Amino acid sequence: MSNPNFSIPISSIDDARIETISGWTNGCVSFWREAFLVVPAVLLLLYLGFQARRHVRKLTHRMPYVMIAYYALLWFSALLNLTWSLLQDWQCASGMAVGWNLLSLSTEIGMLLLEISIVAFLLQENYASGLESLAHTFLISGSFVAADVLVQSIFIFGFGVPLLVNSSATDWGKWGVLFVRTLILTAIYCYILFVHYSKWRDRLPPRPSFYKYVVAMFAFSVMMLLACGMAGFGFSFGIWCYNILVICRHSLYLPYLYLTFLADFFQEEDWLLDSAYYSEMKEAGFFDTDWE
């Protein structure tokens, strides 16, 4: 009696495995995708909320206009990012295409404005915190963000290119625009790294955390660039990588930005206040103890 043959094609197993791995990154509604987006966004807002009183008190103590603007933008971006994370099903709901595109553009405005304004701040030779420095920084970043949003709006609403819709389809228009956009950001970070290793490195802030931020953003931009390139040529692995990187950006960028720029500022404020209290107590004679 012959044994029945229950052989399963290897190709079908590989396809099923790839579909299982990428299922939570593609599509409109996925539990794991929403979890990786919503949980970090909620935790960041909870932390900012618990620290808001202390942060506002320290910001109003010295009135550093640049840091006040970054702190307000962080709140604005965090709130929009949480809304964007909670409304992922809008991108596939009937009649919600315009609402999803507007929400996605608004979220991107906040995050990109933070990113570009920090780049503009790093490239300044004078790191003053006055209104003139603030106006110069946000004039550059605002112009860049306005041009970016205008181009994206033309392609989305004018040509119907699904730039902001999460899908596994290959669209030359979508991946071409995203590739060029990412290429510009990669070139900016590459230029900052070039300045760091050149004779003009004194123009950059002498802080290792700033340099590590630029290195991290450059590496992230290069990965995004490669993912867009592969996706444009029809490689499903490129689309999967791009979706993973989008999730990482929305869940990790804002906390990383806070830790790199704002956390140090608030810690320095604590040190300055402690030093001031110590000086006042020393002048008052609290430490004039005779040890003999």
Side-chain angles (χ1 to χ4, degrees):
M1 185 176 180
S2 60
N3 294 326
N5 186 7
F6 291 105
S7 62
I8 300 176
I10 297 178
S11 60
S12 63
I13 297 178
D14 294 338
D15 293 341
R17 185 176 301 173
I18 294 174
E19 183 178 356
T20 301
I21 294 174
S22 61
W24 65 276
T25 61
N26 296 329
C28 301
V29 181
S30 171
F31 172 78
W32 289 111
R33 176 184 172 87
E34 292 190 358
F36 277 97
L37 289 171
V38 173
V39 172
V42 171
L43 291 177
L44 176 62
L45 281 173
L46 287 176
Y47 177 80
L48 291 177
F50 285 128
Q51 299 292 327
R53 184 176 180 180
R54 183 173 67 92
H55 290 169
V56 171
R57 184 175 65 250
K58 292 179 180 180
L59 288 171
T60 55
H61 176 69
R62 289 178 58 189
M63 294 297 290
Y65 296 106
V66 173
M67 291 300 175
I68 291 175
Y70 286 159
Y71 185 71
L73 269 177
L74 180 65
W75 266 101
F76 174 76
S77 300
L79 290 171
L80 279 176
N81 188 51
L82 177 61
T83 305
W84 180 86
S85 302
L86 290 171
L87 299 177
Q88 288 292 298
D89 55 339
W90 275 21
Q91 55 185 317
C92 290
S94 59
M96 297 303 299
V98 176
W100 170 255
N101 287 323
L102 291 176
L103 176 61
S104 299
L105 283 174
S106 301
T107 306
E108 188 62 28
I109 287 174
M111 297 182 67
L112 189 63
L113 188 59
L114 271 172
E115 182 176 355
I116 301 301
S117 62
I118 288 175
V119 170
F121 174 77
L122 292 177
L123 292 177
Q124 287 186 109
E125 296 185 14
N126 182 17
Y127 308 106
S129 58
L131 290 175
E132 183 179 354
S133 175
L134 178 67
H136 181 265
T137 299
F138 283 96
L139 177 63
I140 297 175
S141 57
S143 301
F144 184 92
V145 173
D148 177 75
V149 172
L150 178 61
V151 171
Q152 288 193 71
S153 301
I154 291 174
F155 277 93
I156 293 172
F157 300 108
F159 299 103
V161 178
L163 286 178
L164 306 174
V165 176
N166 179 39
S167 65
S168 58
T170 301
D171 190 307
W172 272 96
K174 171 182 177 177
W175 299 114
V177 173
L178 293 177
F179 183 87
V180 174
R181 182 174 181 270
T182 309
L183 180 63
I184 295 174
L185 290 175
T186 306
I188 293 174
Y189 288 116
C190 182
Y191 172 74
I192 297 177
L193 290 178
F194 167 76
V195 172
H196 179 79
Y197 288 105
S198 67
K199 63 181 180 180
W200 301 288
R201 63 178 304 171
D202 294 337
R203 298 182 179 180
L204 298 178
R207 285 199 173 188
S209 59
F210 290 179
Y211 170 72
K212 293 177 182 178
Y213 169 83
V214 174
V215 171
M217 295 306 298
F218 174 73
F220 183 82
S221 299
V222 169
M223 289 188 290
M224 288 283 285
L225 193 66
L226 294 175
C228 292
M230 289 188 293
F233 284 102
F235 292 100
S236 57
F237 179 72
I239 300 175
W240 181 79
C241 287
Y242 177 80
N243 291 331
I244 290 290
L245 293 172
V246 168
I247 294 174
C248 292
R249 181 171 185 263
H250 281 272
S251 59
L252 300 178
Y253 176 68
L254 293 179
Y256 178 60
L257 183 144
Y258 172 83
L259 292 175
T260 303
F261 293 93
L262 291 174
D264 288 343
F265 170 78
F266 292 126
Q267 289 176 0
E268 287 177 358
E269 283 290 301
D270 287 336
W271 182 81
L272 290 174
L273 288 176
D274 291 340
S275 299
Y277 293 151
Y278 176 80
S279 299
E280 292 177 0
M281 294 175 68
K282 186 176 180 180
E283 291 177 1
F286 282 93
F287 304 106
D288 295 340
T289 304
D290 187 7
W291 296 95
E292 297 180 358

